[in-house]
Amino acid sequence: MSSSPLSTLLNCVRVISKRLQYGPSSLPRVLSDEDRSCLVNLLGSLTLNALGISQHKLESALSEGDRGAVSFLRILEDENFSLGMFALLPGCNMPMHDHTNMFGFIKPVLGDGVISSYSPKVRRGALHTVRIGDVVDVDCLPARTVCADDGTCSVLEPVDGNIHTISALGSRPFAFVDLLLPPYDHASHACNYYQLSRRQGNVAELRVVEEPDDYFCCYINFDNVKL
C-alpha cells in the first residue's frame, strides 16, 4: 500500500530537518539543492484532500461569526520543524513579521494570495536580536501572487525575503500549508513584527513594533473540517 502525500512529506522533513545544524551563534546551513527540491516538490503536491480536509467544511468553519481574520490548524511539530495550515478570510492579511533564522515553505491549498517580502540590508547573525522601536533598512522584493491551483511552493530564506506579509486575494478565503525549519523557540528563532515607516522605490525602512493589538489567531479543530 502506497504512502499518502502527507506521510511521504513528513518522512522527508524528518530526515532533512535533522541534517540542518542549528546553534545559538550561527544560521542554519544552506539547504542542499537536492533537499530543497525534495521539499518543494512534495509540498507542491499537497492539497486539502491530501490533508484529509473537506473544502466545504473548512469554508463553513471559517465563516463562523466569532472567528478572527486568521485561523490555524496544527498538523505536526517537534524540536526540528513545525507543519501547520493558516487560513485567512477574504481581504485579510497577516501582519508583517519574520521567521528569525528559519526556512519557511508556503504551499497554498485554497484560494489566491499575495506574499510581500523584504530582505534586511544588514545581515543579522543568530545572536543579533531586534528590539521594539528599532528601524531596519530593507530591500523590497517583488510581490508574488500565489494560487492553490498551480502547485507552486514558495520558499522564505533565513535572511533573504524573511520579513514578509501574506494577504488573501478575491472573495474566497486563502489557506496555505506552512513548514518552518526549525520551529519557533522564542529565542534565536523568534517572531518579530514590523511596520512600514518609509518606502522609496525598492528600498524601505521598517520599524519593529509590538504584536498588533487587533491580531489574534483562532485555532481550527481538525475534527470539524476532516473529510
Side-chain angles (χ1 to χ4, degrees), residues 136-168:
V136 180
D137 294 320
V138 298
D139 291 315
C140 307
L141 305 183
R144 288 169 283 175
T145 299
V146 293
C147 174
D149 297 331
D150 64 12
T152 300
C153 174
S154 300
V155 183
L156 303 176
E157 305 291 338
V159 177
D160 292 333
N162 192 270
I163 302 172
H164 62 285
T165 183
I166 301 174
S167 305

Side-chain angles (χ1 to χ4, degrees), residues 1-15:
M1 183 175 179
S2 61
S3 299
S4 70
L6 179 57
S7 63
T8 301
L9 170 65
L10 290 173
N11 289 335
C12 178
V13 171
R14 289 186 180 101
V15 172

Side-chain angles (χ1 to χ4, degrees), residues 113-185:
V114 175
I115 304 173
S116 301
S117 302
Y118 308 84
S119 296
K121 286 183 172 293
V122 176
R123 299 295 178 114
R124 294 176 288 163
L127 286 180
H128 178 86
T129 58
V130 294
R131 295 176 175 82
I132 303 300
D134 284 355
V135 173
V136 180
D137 294 320
V138 298
D139 291 315
C140 307
L141 305 183
R144 288 169 283 175
T145 299
V146 293
C147 174
D149 297 331
D150 64 12
T152 300
C153 174
S154 300
V155 183
L156 303 176
E157 305 291 338
V159 177
D160 292 333
N162 192 270
I163 302 172
H164 62 285
T165 183
I166 301 174
S167 305
L169 280 180
S171 59
R172 300 171 62 197
F174 175 56
F176 58 93
V177 172
D178 186 61
L179 170 65
L180 295 179
L181 300 171
Y184 287 120
D185 63 6

Side-chain angles (χ1 to χ4, degrees), residues 71-225:
S71 298
F72 178 71
L73 187 152
R74 188 183 306 279
I75 298 174
L76 187 64
E77 180 173 337
D78 66 14
E79 68 275 11
N80 296 313
F81 72 92
S82 67
L83 184 69
M85 185 189 75
F86 284 95
L88 282 62
L89 294 182
C92 294
N93 63 275
M94 301 185 77
M96 190 185 301
H97 64 287
D98 63 15
H99 301 149
T100 305
N101 302 329
M102 302 152 69
F103 290 95
F105 294 79
I106 297 171
K107 169 55 174 69
V109 290
L110 176 66
D112 305 320
V114 175
I115 304 173
S116 301
S117 302
Y118 308 84
S119 296
K121 286 183 172 293
V122 176
R123 299 295 178 114
R124 294 176 288 163
L127 286 180
H128 178 86
T129 58
V130 294
R131 295 176 175 82
I132 303 300
D134 284 355
V135 173
V136 180
D137 294 320
V138 298
D139 291 315
C140 307
L141 305 183
R144 288 169 283 175
T145 299
V146 293
C147 174
D149 297 331
D150 64 12
T152 300
C153 174
S154 300
V155 183
L156 303 176
E157 305 291 338
V159 177
D160 292 333
N162 192 270
I163 302 172
H164 62 285
T165 183
I166 301 174
S167 305
L169 280 180
S171 59
R172 300 171 62 197
F174 175 56
F176 58 93
V177 172
D178 186 61
L179 170 65
L180 295 179
L181 300 171
Y184 287 120
D185 63 6
H186 307 291
S188 58
H189 306 118
C191 180
N192 303 292
Y193 293 90
Y194 300 82
Q195 189 174 71
L196 180 64
S197 294
R198 182 175 64 87
R199 176 168 180 168
Q200 185 172 3
N202 292 325
V203 296
E205 288 183 353
L206 307 180
R207 185 174 299 277
V208 184
V209 297
E210 299 276 3
E211 181 177 332
D213 291 335
D214 59 353
Y215 173 65
F216 64 97
C217 192
C218 300
Y219 282 89
I220 299 173
N221 185 332
F222 177 76
D223 288 336
N224 293 339
V225 296

Side-chain angles (χ1 to χ4, degrees), residues 48-79:
L48 285 177
N49 188 71
L51 294 171
I53 294 173
S54 159
Q55 177 177 329
H56 172 72
K57 290 182 179 179
L58 175 61
E59 291 181 327
S60 295
L62 295 175
S63 67
E64 296 171 354
D66 58 347
R67 183 166 291 277
V70 181
S71 298
F72 178 71
L73 187 152
R74 188 183 306 279
I75 298 174
L76 187 64
E77 180 173 337
D78 66 14
E79 68 275 11

